[in-house]
Structures are given as structure tokens and as C-alpha cells.
Amino acid sequence: MTISRLFASLQTTRFAHIARFLPLLRDNHSGLFDHFSSSSSIDLFRASPTSPQTPPQNSRRNQAVEMSSQAAHPTLLIPGPIEFDDAVLQSMSHYSESHVGPGFVSTFGDTLSMLRKLFQTSDPASQPFVINGSGTLGWDMVAANLVEPGENALVLSTGYFGDGFADCLAAYGASVTKITGAVGGRPQPDEIEQALRQKKYKIITATHVDTSTGVLFDLKTLTDVVKRVAPETLIIADGVCSVACEEIAFDEWGLDGVVTAGQKAIGCPTGLSISMFSKRAVDVVQNRKTEPATYFASMKRWIPIMQNYEAKKPSYFSTPSPQLIHALNTALSQILARPLSERFQRHMQVSDKVKKAVADLGLKIVAERPEDQAHAMTAIYLPDSVSIPSILPKLLDKGIIFAGGLHKEIGSKYIRFGHMGPSAMDPKRPDIDNALEALRAALAECGYKG
Amino acid sequence: MTISRLFASLQTTRFAHIARFLPLLRDNHSGLFDHFSSSSSIDLFRASPTSPQTPPQNSRRNQAVEMSSQAAHPTLLIPGPIEFDDAVLQSMSHYSESHVGPGFVSTFGDTLSMLRKLFQTSDPASQPFVINGSGTLGWDMVAANLVEPGENALVLSTGYFGDGFADCLAAYGASVTKITGAVGGRPQPDEIEQALRQKKYKIITATHVDTSTGVLFDLKTLTDVVKRVAPETLIIADGVCSVACEEIAFDEWGLDGVVTAGQKAIGCPTGLSISMFSKRAVDVVQNRKTEPATYFASMKRWIPIMQNYEAKKPSYFSTPSPQLIHALNTALSQILARPLSERFQRHMQVSDKVKKAVADLGLKIVAERPEDQAHAMTAIYLPDSVSIPSILPKLLDKGIIFAGGLHKEIGSKYIRFGHMGPSAMDPKRPDIDNALEALRAALAECGYKG
């Protein structure tokens, strides 16, 4: 379906809602190019018409207001950043406050306390951190603080982000052993047990959901193995694409660290590194033999700051971002207003629906086995006859932004569909149905018959 | 003047504008506590009435609209974060975009290019960086990338932040020599020359304006000395409290690095580490003997990303923050719409006015010599009879937030007044006059006769 045809059918089809972002397409033909390549030479929009008919102004404006207080825009369904709830986004434009004034200190303190509930830890010795940065900074915190140069780290990789965590650990001097799952799969318990029996590891890391492949790691089984075979080894999960959409029972499973970021299922704009560490991990930080070779990522410097803020006392090491903390506060308040179990269940239901639709289209999922499949994103192999640069602009024509592939071996063969946060949880949002319908139509336009 | 009396005089006094933030005071008695102490035991608000009369709703609402599209709030005049221009703040609630989509890539690319103008560098080999973080992360970038462990760094300190830069360099293994200025002064050229002749230094760092003292470093004279005595030494300025308010001629002076943050005179919300490095600095990064012990702060990893974004090509290392980049883009567009010289001149005029008013009150400035005084903030010694916990709440009563002191030797003896960005540049804002009037009144209420 082209932009022109869409305009013609605005008032009669189920795509009527996308009238709200068509001006964007008309103005600059932009809004989409999401496979992580350094090439921009492909003209994604060559086949698009350049002067579509303008829709009735009143109708479009009314629809935009009805949908959201946000400006008209295509629906962002990549596996993060994600669509924002209006209230979260409005929190970003909070007037300026002092980073050590009582109003902001109280908001930040409450935010840190709410993180304990999100991570399901009731141990007062668990330590939450919220620091300006992004998901990557969480790796640095682990690598700089929990491992001393020369100590062993076992990295379980299920894609691009597992490999990145290994690179980060190595950059800080860890001696890294990596077990890489088959493409679309994950290292198995017996391999992990074998590795743990061969050498003493200071930490073991697993990417709970690797955003590059949509492979889910079974953290519960992993922690069982580690507790049995190498109980002294600290267990760290990269939860960037799992916190707030996949079950994480920090205390119950005996995790020592989970690092994440605001812009995935938590539903906050990018800019925050968010993490939780156990008492065991904090003790390791406090009892190192060598001082960590970092300053901004130094947990020892941040711990008293986080503890003061949570106790509603002003404190200073490096200036936090009041606007981002307000947005996180709003997002966490929304998340915790309902039982977490319900949230995880809802993401599973949406995931089941997406995966069934993908199977009905005759397509395969990168994470092959159902038990390895993440519930808030789906990495979908394209048919042989369809390329990423041919299908993504057709999806954009229909108001949907998916991401391209991001795996060194299969990057050009699949697309990624993020179905998390408001797009999955808000029953008023038609995002998922629209995306599935757009996928069917785009594939058909590419000549795929299913 | 108490809150009750303020309400009573709302319609008749020059303080009428502050009706807009009085509900905040009524609700939680919060909004101020800005000396960087870890103690919160002082009840700043003990003397305040708890149930002031509510002002007429319509009048208050109209005044708020007239002043700004922002919610009613006291004026934040600490030396950063600062008051925001409405358009900058509105950019923070931009709808969600892909971090590698063409719309955002274009915005980010333009933002990086604009930074070249802000730093006054026309050398295409100069490299701008914008990374999620804060000012502190800039120190890490310098310490992790430009100095290899064991190499010498000469730090010129004029307060808390010079000391912090030294700590950061030491954390990454630099051998640090520090020259500390007398309180309120700065190291002098002959001391610096003597130090440079005694040892070979990889880098020399100076805090252009130390936010803790308001001491301005004469960067031009410094670079003259270094070029003459130790031309191979990289010259790095901490410009957190100077970029966009003090003259910085990156190319002309031969600087090798300036690190700053968004939330000071640039006028963007906190959350961005912003920096510029010279070709000489980039060459040092690329030709290190050892790999830097960092990942998130690795310039080598970020350089291709920044170069791709500026060339409008999508690229990925760690997810940037579209909302903060939009705000920065808006702020830079506003700044560069007028000659920079005019901006610096305006900050000098406002500074002269503030400093004259302080002198007229019989008070002393921490930076004693006029040539050592910053132009976008003033650190003001309190009279012996007036304490920080007595005067700050009185200032808040009048709608003004200043910061307390932040220097290990004199922290309890002075307050800090930030007069930068919109508060200094926007002729419609009465912030500076209001602050000076509030200061006079608050001192009088504290019993100071001047």
C-alpha cells in the first residue's frame, strides 16, 4: 500500500489512525532506517510517491488528539527505545530543579526505592543505582568494580550484546572465557557446569534477553547450576531488554547484579543506566585488593550518594538528571500500580500472539526453540526473496518502524519487532495489531505469498 | 518577608510574579537545599508558616502563563542546572524516535556540527563528542584516553572541581602533580612555567571556571606559557561552567580538549557529556602504546560513531538520548543565532552588575581579584553574622534559589549565585534583578545592615 493509496482510504480502513503521521512522510520522507549499519547509501524511499494528497486537516488533528498528546509520528516498534506513555514523556519537560533540593531529592529517593520492587528484592542490603549513561555503562560498572585485573570472568553469549559484555570485561583487564550459543540458541547447563568445574571464576554473566537475537536466557536454571557448582561466583545478568517485561526474582534466584537501561520495557527515554547489586557484590566492591581504574563508573563513589538520596538526604558526586529521574519515577509508578506478575503475563500473551502470526505467515523466528524466545521482542527471519531495505520502507508506509538485524552471521537476514511497554500493556493502543497487519501487507507487496 | 506576607502583597509589589510558585511552597515546603553537604538534619523551614492563604486561582494561572509555559516554580539561580528556555524544555518531550533513524541521525549530526561553532574551531580534524553522562564523564574521557598509566599529568586547581579532576586522573593511573591556587585565586604563570620545566607532562589541565569558587582561569595566558615551555603537552580545559558564557577560542589558543556538560550555560537539561578534542589529542588516542582501561568512555570506540552521525549516517555503539539531543539542538540553535561575542559580552555586563551590587552591600567575592572572577556565577562571602541555613530559606521565600558553598576550607562561609544562560540572556526575564533584590531583603531579615 503506497502513501497515496493510504490517503485515499483514510476514512474507511482500519489504517485510518495513521493519518496522524502522514505529514511527516510527506515533508521529509524520513523516519526509518534502523538496521545498525554504517552505510546510508541505500535510498529507502526511491519508490515512494513525493506529493501525496493532503488529508482533511480537522480529521487528522482530531485523530492525533484522540490517540495521544504527542505529535503525530510513526509507531516505534524496535526493541528499544520504545513508544512512550504520554505522562512519562510529559515528565521530561519538568521545570528546572536543583539536583540537591528537597523536591528532587525526594523524587529520586522514591525512584530508587521503587526499583527494589521492580527487581523483586526485599533485602535492604541490595543496592540500586541510577546514573546518567546508557545500558553500556552498566557493563562498565560490573567490569570496573567487581573484577580485578587478571581475575576470571565467564561470559555466556547469545548474540551481539553478549559479545559486547565480554569486550567490556576484557577492556578492564578481566581474563574472559566466553561460551557462545548456536545462532538463535544459548549455552546449555551442562556446558556451563563443565566450564565452572574447570576454573574458578570471579563472575559469570548472562544476557537475559539479547536484543540482537531475541534469545531469552533461563536465568533460574543458570543460578541453580552456579549455586550448586561454584557458589562463590557472582552471577550478573544483562537485563537491558528484560527488566520490566520478563520475570526477574533478584533475591529468590540469588542474583548478584542486574544491569539495565531506562529506554526498553521500563518505558523511559534513553539516558539512564539502572542497576541492582546484591550485598555480596557490594562487599566485593568494598573489599577489593586494588582500587578500581575508573571514576565515573566507580560503585564505591556512587554507593553513599545512592544511599543518601534514598534516605532523602542531598548528596553530590556527579549531577543527576532531574528530568530523566522524573520520567523514570512516573514510569515506575505506572508499572508498580499493578502486580508485576500481570505485566509479565501480558507480555507473554502478546508474544504468543506475535509468534503465532509469524508462524502463520510461514516465517521462522531466530530464537528457534519456544523456551529460548524472549517475550517482549521477536527477531523474524525474512523470506529469501525479501531484503531488509525492501521491506522496512513498506512498513514505514504503513506507520510501523521495525529494526533490521544485528548479528555478525545473520544480520542481513532478519528484522526485529519490539513489543514491550506501552505498546504491549496499554489496551487502548492498537500498535501490535497494526504492526502484524502491516507486516502481512508489506510482505505481500514484496511478492511474498506465504 | 514570610510566605503569608507575600500572599498578602501579591497584587501590589514587584514580587507579584512569584505568586506562580507559591503553591509549591504550600504543598511541601520544598524547593531549596543546595549546599553540597551530606547532612540534611537542619530544618530549613522550621520558621515558615504551614498554611498560608491560597491566592486567587485565575490570577495565579494567568501570571504563570504570562511568564512561561512551564509550571510555576521558584527561579533556579545556582551555578547549574539553570533555568530553561521554554523551547529547550519542550524539546525534551519529543516523541520516540529510533536512535539510528534518519530523522534523529540528521538532528544529531547538525548538533555535532553546531558544537564546532560553539567551541570556535574550524579545523575539520577537531572532534566533537556528545555522550550520555554528565560533566564528570568528560574527566574520565581525558583520564582514560589521553594519559597512559604512569604518565605525568599537571593539574591546576582552583577549587573542588580541580581537585576532582586530579582524583579522576589518579584513578586511571596517571602520575598527578597538582598546583593549587590560594583560596579564591589561581596558580600563576611563573609557578606553572617552573613546574613545566621540572618534568615532562603528557597533559596539563585547568578548570576554566571552578563552579565551587567562581574563579576564572586565564586560559589564553596559560596556553601561551605551555606553547612556549612545553609545546608537546596537551592542554585540557574543564569548561563545564564556562562553555557558552566565557570566551573559548579552541583553535586560536591551541587547546587540545575542552570538556563540558549540557546543564550549565548551554542551557540544556542534565544528562550529556559534551566535549571537543583537537587533532593532536585524537592522534594521541589512536597511537597509544596500551589499550585504554575503559569501554563506555573509550574515545577510540566513540570517534567513528560521532563521525558517522555528523556525516548523517546511522551508527551504533551505545544508545544516545534522542530527547536530550533534541534539547541540545534547540539550545545550540538559539545560542548560535547571535554572535558568540555578544553572548560573552552580555554575561560580562550581568556579572559586572551582580558584582557591583554585592560590593554595594558591603560583601566580598570569593574570587578576590577582578581578573580572576567568572562572568556567569558569583561566589559571595556571607557576613559573619549570617549563616547559609538562615539565608537560603529567606531567599526561597522570595522565589530565588542560590547554592551554598562547596570548598573544603570555606564551604560554610559563602553562597553561590549562577547568572548564566536564559537568566542572563533573555531580556524578558527579571531573574537577575529579582535575585539581587531578594538578596538585599534576605540579608536585612537576617539582621545584616550592610
Side-chain angles (χ1 to χ4, degrees):
Chain A
M1 188 181 289
T2 64
I3 293 174
S4 304
R5 286 182 53 201
L6 264 177
F7 272 107
S9 61
L10 274 179
Q11 306 308 319
T12 54
T13 74
R14 60 185 301 189
F15 287 107
H17 66 283
I18 62 168
R20 64 194 167 107
F21 61 78
L22 285 169
L24 290 178
L25 298 176
R26 190 185 64 239
D27 292 346
N28 56 14
H29 280 199
S30 72
L32 169 71
F33 184 55
D34 196 70
H35 58 103
F36 295 134
S37 145
S38 59
S39 156
S40 68
S41 59
I42 306 161
D43 180 359
L44 291 176
F45 305 97
R46 210 164 358 183
S48 300
T50 52
S51 302
Q53 178 188 342
T54 305
Q57 285 295 317
N58 288 342
S59 144
R60 177 162 52 82
R61 192 172 299 132
N62 290 344
Q63 283 165 343
V65 169
E66 189 184 18
M67 294 298 296
S68 159
S69 66
Q70 297 168 44
H73 66 281
T75 306
L76 189 62
L77 294 173
I78 65 176
I82 66 170
E83 283 290 310
F84 301 125
D85 178 84
D86 288 354
V88 172
L89 206 51
Q90 282 155 14
S91 303
M92 288 290 279
S93 52
H94 194 285
Y95 61 79
S96 200
E97 287 177 299
S98 166
H99 50 303
V100 286
F104 173 67
V105 168
S106 177
T107 300
F108 198 177
D110 290 341
T111 305
L112 290 165
S113 296
M114 282 194 280
L115 284 177
R116 297 180 183 276
K117 293 182 186 156
L118 179 65
F119 285 88
Q120 301 191 51
T121 173
S122 59
D123 182 348
S126 295
Q127 184 57 55
F129 294 81
V130 177
I131 299 174
N132 290 337
S134 54
T136 308
L137 184 63
W139 295 346
D140 285 68
M141 288 174 69
V142 170
N145 294 286
L146 298 182
V147 189
E148 300 194 44
E151 289 184 334
N152 297 323
L154 181 60
V155 174
L156 310 176
S157 177
T158 52
Y160 179 94
F161 292 95
D163 292 349
F165 206 162
D167 288 347
C168 179
L169 284 156
Y172 282 92
S175 174
V176 177
T177 301
K178 188 164 67 174
I179 308 180
T180 303
V183 174
R186 59 176 161 84
Q188 296 300 305
D190 55 342
E191 293 175 89
I192 299 165
E193 177 164 349
Q194 199 180 346
L196 288 173
R197 290 194 188 282
Q198 279 170 0
K199 208 188 279 183
K200 186 173 169 170
Y201 288 97
K202 183 70 170 290
I203 66 169
I204 182 170
T205 74
T207 315
H208 194 188
V209 169
D210 199 301
T211 316
S212 72
T213 55
V215 169
L216 173 70
F217 215 100
D218 176 358
L219 278 189
K220 175 73 179 67
T221 300
L222 171 67
T223 55
D224 287 345
V225 171
V226 179
K227 299 287 172 202
R228 182 165 48 80
V229 180
E232 288 179 13
T233 301
L234 297 177
I235 308 171
I236 310 296
D238 174 342
V240 169
C241 198
S242 73
V243 169
C245 55
E246 304 280 0
E247 172 86 26
I248 295 179
F250 194 86
D251 288 356
E252 191 187 322
W253 297 352
L255 291 164
D256 292 299
V258 178
V259 299
T260 190
Q263 79 273 14
K264 307 271 179 179
I266 292 174
C268 181
T270 313
L272 294 178
S273 162
I274 299 167
S275 53
M276 184 69 71
F277 289 93
S278 69
K279 180 181 188 304
R280 291 210 314 169
V282 169
D283 285 347
V284 164
V285 171
Q286 302 289 16
N287 299 314
R288 284 175 61 106
K289 293 187 289 289
T290 57
E291 282 301 309
T294 187
Y295 189 77
F296 188 67
S298 165
M299 281 167 61
K300 205 186 270 190
R301 292 179 191 273
W302 279 114
I303 287 169
I305 307 298
M306 295 294 142
Q307 291 178 341
N308 278 337
Y309 268 111
E310 200 171 355
K312 308 281 176 92
K313 296 177 188 168
S315 198
Y316 178 73
F317 168 54
S318 168
T319 312
S321 175
Q323 285 68 29
L324 283 166
I325 301 291
H326 274 285
L328 177 59
N329 187 288
T330 302
L332 292 175
S333 299
Q334 290 179 344
I335 289 170
L336 296 171
R338 306 285 307 165
L340 282 173
S341 57
E342 204 176 275
R343 186 174 180 88
F344 302 141
Q345 194 61 38
R346 175 67 187 156
H347 279 90
M348 290 174 80
Q349 287 165 1
V350 170
S351 181
D352 287 349
K353 178 176 185 166
V354 169
K355 270 123 182 140
K356 181 176 183 308
V358 168
D360 289 348
L361 281 165
L363 302 181
K364 289 197 181 310
I365 290 169
V366 172
E368 205 171 349
R369 303 189 319 166
E371 63 268 35
D372 294 345
Q373 292 171 349
H375 298 107
M377 64 168 288
T378 306
I380 307 165
Y381 278 116
L382 291 170
D384 288 340
S385 60
V386 177
S387 70
I388 292 174
S390 69
I391 196 164
L392 290 189
K394 292 188 171 63
L395 286 164
L396 178 62
D397 258 6
K398 294 154 189 56
I400 300 297
I401 301 180
F402 281 176
L406 178 62
H407 187 286
K408 58 189 173 190
E409 293 176 41
I410 57 167
S412 65
K413 298 182 177 170
Y414 71 103
I415 54 177
R416 293 175 298 147
F417 175 3
H419 34 82
M420 65 185 96
S423 292
M425 297 301 299
D426 184 345
K428 294 192 301 297
R429 296 186 77 112
D431 301 353
I432 307 301
D433 287 338
N434 291 347
L436 291 173
E437 182 57 34
L439 179 61
R440 278 183 209 106
L443 285 167
E445 285 171 36
C446 288
Y448 175 69
K449 311 225 181 283
Chain B
M1 189 182 289
T2 64
I3 293 174
S4 305
R5 286 181 53 202
L6 263 177
F7 273 108
S9 62
L10 273 179
Q11 306 307 319
T12 53
T13 75
R14 61 183 300 189
F15 289 108
H17 67 281
I18 63 169
R20 63 196 168 106
F21 62 77
L22 286 169
L24 290 177
L25 299 177
R26 190 185 66 239
D27 292 347
N28 56 14
H29 280 199
S30 71
L32 170 70
F33 185 55
D34 194 73
H35 59 103
F36 294 134
S37 148
S38 60
S39 156
S40 68
S41 58
I42 308 160
D43 181 358
L44 292 176
F45 305 97
R46 213 166 352 187
S48 301
T50 51
S51 302
Q53 178 188 342
T54 305
Q57 285 294 316
N58 287 342
S59 143
R60 177 161 51 83
R61 192 172 300 132
N62 290 344
Q63 283 165 342
V65 168
E66 189 184 17
M67 294 298 296
S68 160
S69 67
Q70 298 168 44
H73 65 282
T75 306
L76 189 62
L77 294 173
I78 66 176
I82 67 171
E83 283 292 309
F84 301 125
D85 177 85
D86 288 355
V88 171
L89 206 51
Q90 283 155 11
S91 303
M92 288 290 280
S93 52
H94 194 283
Y95 61 78
S96 199
E97 288 176 300
S98 166
H99 50 302
V100 287
F104 173 67
V105 169
S106 177
T107 301
F108 198 176
D110 291 340
T111 306
L112 290 164
S113 297
M114 281 193 282
L115 284 177
R116 297 179 184 276
K117 293 181 187 156
L118 179 65
F119 285 88
Q120 301 191 51
T121 172
S122 59
D123 183 348
S126 295
Q127 184 56 56
F129 294 81
V130 178
I131 299 174
N132 290 337
S134 53
T136 308
L137 184 63
W139 294 347
D140 285 68
M141 289 175 67
V142 170
N145 294 286
L146 298 182
V147 189
E148 300 193 46
E151 289 183 333
N152 297 323
L154 180 61
V155 174
L156 309 177
S157 178
T158 51
Y160 179 94
F161 292 95
D163 293 349
F165 206 163
D167 289 348
C168 179
L169 284 156
Y172 282 94
S175 174
V176 176
T177 301
K178 188 165 67 173
I179 308 181
T180 303
V183 174
R186 58 175 162 84
Q188 295 302 305
D190 56 341
E191 292 175 272
I192 299 165
E193 177 164 348
Q194 197 181 348
L196 289 172
R197 290 194 186 284
Q198 279 171 359
K199 206 188 281 184
K200 186 173 169 170
Y201 288 97
K202 184 71 169 290
I203 65 169
I204 181 169
T205 74
T207 314
H208 195 188
V209 170
D210 199 300
T211 316
S212 72
T213 54
V215 170
L216 173 70
F217 215 100
D218 176 359
L219 278 189
K220 175 72 178 69
T221 299
L222 172 68
T223 56
D224 288 345
V225 171
V226 179
K227 298 288 173 202
R228 180 165 50 78
V229 179
E232 287 181 13
T233 301
L234 297 176
I235 308 170
I236 309 296
D238 173 343
V240 169
C241 199
S242 74
V243 169
C245 56
E246 303 280 0
E247 171 87 25
I248 296 180
F250 193 86
D251 289 355
E252 190 187 323
W253 297 350
L255 292 165
D256 291 299
V258 177
V259 300
T260 189
Q263 77 274 14
K264 306 271 182 179
I266 293 174
C268 181
T270 314
L272 295 177
S273 161
I274 299 167
S275 52
M276 182 70 72
F277 289 94
S278 70
K279 179 180 189 305
R280 292 210 313 170
V282 169
D283 285 347
V284 163
V285 171
Q286 302 289 15
N287 299 314
R288 285 174 61 107
K289 294 187 289 287
T290 58
E291 282 301 310
T294 186
Y295 189 78
F296 187 67
S298 165
M299 280 167 61
K300 206 187 271 190
R301 292 179 191 272
W302 279 114
I303 287 169
I305 308 299
M306 294 296 141
Q307 291 177 342
N308 279 336
Y309 269 110
E310 198 171 354
K312 308 282 176 92
K313 296 177 188 169
S315 197
Y316 178 71
F317 167 55
S318 169
T319 311
S321 174
Q323 284 69 29
L324 283 167
I325 301 290
H326 274 285
L328 178 59
N329 187 288
T330 302
L332 292 176
S333 299
Q334 291 178 342
I335 290 170
L336 296 171
R338 305 287 306 164
L340 282 174
S341 57
E342 203 175 276
R343 186 176 181 87
F344 302 142
Q345 194 61 38
R346 175 69 186 154
H347 278 90
M348 290 174 80
Q349 286 165 1
V350 170
S351 181
D352 287 349
K353 179 178 184 165
V354 169
K355 271 127 182 134
K356 180 176 183 308
V358 168
D360 288 349
L361 281 165
L363 302 181
K364 289 196 180 310
I365 291 169
V366 172
E368 203 170 351
R369 303 190 318 166
E371 62 267 35
D372 294 345
Q373 292 171 349
H375 299 105
M377 66 168 288
T378 305
I380 307 165
Y381 279 116
L382 291 170
D384 288 342
S385 59
V386 177
S387 70
I388 293 174
S390 69
I391 196 164
L392 291 187
K394 292 187 172 63
L395 285 164
L396 178 62
D397 258 7
K398 295 153 189 56
I400 300 296
I401 300 181
F402 281 176
L406 178 64
H407 187 288
K408 58 188 172 189
E409 293 176 41
I410 55 167
S412 64
K413 297 182 179 171
Y414 70 104
I415 54 176
R416 292 175 299 146
F417 174 4
H419 34 83
M420 66 184 96
S423 292
M425 298 300 300
D426 184 346
K428 294 192 300 298
R429 297 186 77 113
D431 300 353
I432 307 301
D433 287 339
N434 291 347
L436 290 172
E437 181 58 34
L439 179 60
R440 277 182 211 107
L443 285 166
E445 285 172 38
C446 287
Y448 175 70
K449 310 224 182 284

